[in-house]
């Protein structure tokens, strides 16, 4: 009998900077959920990475970790199908980070576009630290530790994976062929925007969270900016530029979508009514996630056990890799 081909390994992570929102759900999470059925998946919470920018505000991180883990389980990431773990519990990441830092040329880090952009954007924050510059080196350690073949990330993270590829090649060149060079698997970002029409983000205070109650969802949907050209109820609207309509396309049935498309253009429906319909459909779509969440919130021991189990599995892989790495470097 032919031996079954080993599944390719996929790895990705999230920084614990707050609870997950609809942008995360339709971006990373939906993608991860599909992948768990076809790949050997490792997903983790990058809490050390959170420290690179939030080193002076560490108190909320523990809470966020638990919150995100609960979000993951609630949307259906399954501990039977993937390894879910927390970066800082696997100390090997720190060791590999240190070793990779020996071979990573500084100019590779200094020319990283994400790095330059963040330094420019977060002006009120001192990011001229060793740790922040080394962010992609730690990320490279996260990835190659598990010999990942693919890394699903959004476009903003692509430079980091590119750097990981260069670091992996350099390691292999010096010490022998240990690491696969991982592919970037670009995740499509969802069309939906935040309630203010900017990119949905916790830091913009415009996000609808997976953990929001129906009441919170109704209130946020009520505040959503619609077609900015439609000032009065009698003005025809343009659903193509309306964020509420983008939500309808995700959460309402085809008939409703078509009806609204037409009614909006003919000023037959007002935005208030249109939003109300969308809010109810959104609430309904989120209900299974909310149900799962209340289950896990009522069973913190179960969540803890899942985390420990995932950490243990990740640890075993990391342990193995580091034995090979130390042997290769002869240290
Ligand atoms: N930098 C990633 C982000 O901010 C998080 C991350 C850390 C990551 N290590 C990783 C993502 C390894 C993919 C692979 O989203
Ligand atoms: Fe947007 Fe609906 Fe208002 Fe049209 S009616 S502009 S689709 S909210």
């Amino acid at each position: 009998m032919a031996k079954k081909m080993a599944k390719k390994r996929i790895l990705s992570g999230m920084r614990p900077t707050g609870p997950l929102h609809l942008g995360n759900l339709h971006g990373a999470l939906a993608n991860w959920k599909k992948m768990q059925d076809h790949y050997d998946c490792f997903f983790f919470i990058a809490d050390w990475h959170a420290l690179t920018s939030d080193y002076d505000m560490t108190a909320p991180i523990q809470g966020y970790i638990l919150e995100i883990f609960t979000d993951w389980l609630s949307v259906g990431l399954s501990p039977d199908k993937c390894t879910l773990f927390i970066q800082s519990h696997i100390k090997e990441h720190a060791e590999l980070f240190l070793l990779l830092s020996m071979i990573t040329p500084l100019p590779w880090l200094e020319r990283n576009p994400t790095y330059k952009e963040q330094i420019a954007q977060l002006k009120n924050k001192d990011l001229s630290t060793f740790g922040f510059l080394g962010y992609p080196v730690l990320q490279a350690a996260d990835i190659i530790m598990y010999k990942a073949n693919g890394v699903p990330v959004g476009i903003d993270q692509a430079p980091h994976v590119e750097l990981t590829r260069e670091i992996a090649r350099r390691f292999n060149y010096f010490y022998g062929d240990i690491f696969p060079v991982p592919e970037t698997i670009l995740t499509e970002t969802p069309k939906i925007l935040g309630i203010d029409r900017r990119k949905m983000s916790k830091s913009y205070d415009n996000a609808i969270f997976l953990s929001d109650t129906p009441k919170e969802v109704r209130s946020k949907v009520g505040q959503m900016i619609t077609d900015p050209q439609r000032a009065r109820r009698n003005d025809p609207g343009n659903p193509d530029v309306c964020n509420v309509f983008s939500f309808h396309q995700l959460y309402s049935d085809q008939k409703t979508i078509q009806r609204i498309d037409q009614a909006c253009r003919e000023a037959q429906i007002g935005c208030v009514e249109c939003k109300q319909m969308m809010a109810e459909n959104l609430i309904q779509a989120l209900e299974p996630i909310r149900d799962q969440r209340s289950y896990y919130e009522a069973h913190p021991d179960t969540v803890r056990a899942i985390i420990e189990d995932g950490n243990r599995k990740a640890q075993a892989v990391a342990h193995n890799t580091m034995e090979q790495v130390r042997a290769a470097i002869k240290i």
Side-chain angles (χ1 to χ4, degrees), residues 77-95:
L77 288 185
S78 160
D80 298 330
K81 295 179 184 168
C82 35
T83 303
L84 308 171
F85 67 99
I86 298 170
Q87 182 189 42
S88 68
H89 288 238
I90 318 296
K91 307 299 177 197
E92 283 86 346
H93 287 231
E95 184 181 355

Side-chain angles (χ1 to χ4, degrees), residues 148-322:
N149 305 106
V151 187
V153 286
I155 186 85
D156 61 311
Q157 292 292 314
H160 290 155
V161 184
E162 194 46 52
L163 213 57
T164 299
R165 292 164 58 83
E166 290 178 45
I167 293 172
R169 280 197 207 101
R170 195 164 161 92
F171 185 101
N172 289 345
Y173 172 76
F174 286 133
Y175 309 117
D177 226 347
I178 293 203
F179 295 113
V181 176
E183 302 290 331
T184 309
I185 305 174
L186 271 191
T187 309
E188 263 192 66
T189 37
K191 282 189 222 55
I192 54 170
L193 301 168
I195 61 174
D196 57 359
R197 287 179 106 229
R198 289 188 293 169
K199 181 181 177 203
M200 192 179 282
S201 159
K202 180 184 170 273
S203 52
Y204 292 159
D205 204 16
N206 66 359
I208 298 177
F209 297 104
L210 303 185
S211 49
D212 279 348
T213 62
K215 201 171 145 203
E216 286 166 323
V217 172
R218 281 189 198 102
S219 148
K220 287 182 181 176
V221 170
Q223 296 165 45
M224 276 173 78
I225 296 179
T226 64
D227 169 4
Q229 301 295 322
R230 191 180 188 200
R232 280 171 300 266
R233 167 71 178 76
N234 293 333
D235 297 339
N238 180 4
D240 299 335
V241 299
C242 178
N243 189 31
V244 175
F245 190 68
S246 307
F247 275 71
H248 269 297
Q249 288 176 310
L250 280 176
Y251 300 111
S252 301
D253 59 57
Q254 275 311 314
K255 247 176 70 190
T256 311
I257 295 169
Q258 279 171 11
R259 209 174 63 228
I260 288 173
D261 192 355
Q262 194 179 3
C264 172
R265 291 176 204 278
E266 296 169 355
Q268 299 291 338
I269 185 173
C271 293
V272 174
E273 188 192 341
C274 180
K275 284 178 175 180
Q276 277 165 356
M277 286 167 61
M278 189 278 276
E280 294 316 308
N281 292 341
L282 171 57
I283 287 166
Q284 209 176 10
L286 293 180
E287 195 172 276
I289 300 177
R290 244 185 344 263
D291 284 352
Q292 284 294 97
R293 171 170 266 278
S294 24
Y295 171 82
Y296 287 114
E297 279 172 356
H299 297 84
D301 288 350
T302 308
V303 179
R304 214 165 301 128
I306 292 172
I307 295 178
E308 276 167 21
D309 191 51
N311 285 344
R312 220 172 3 248
K313 283 195 235 159
Q315 167 85 58
V317 178
H319 179 85
N320 243 322
T321 302
M322 287 317 295

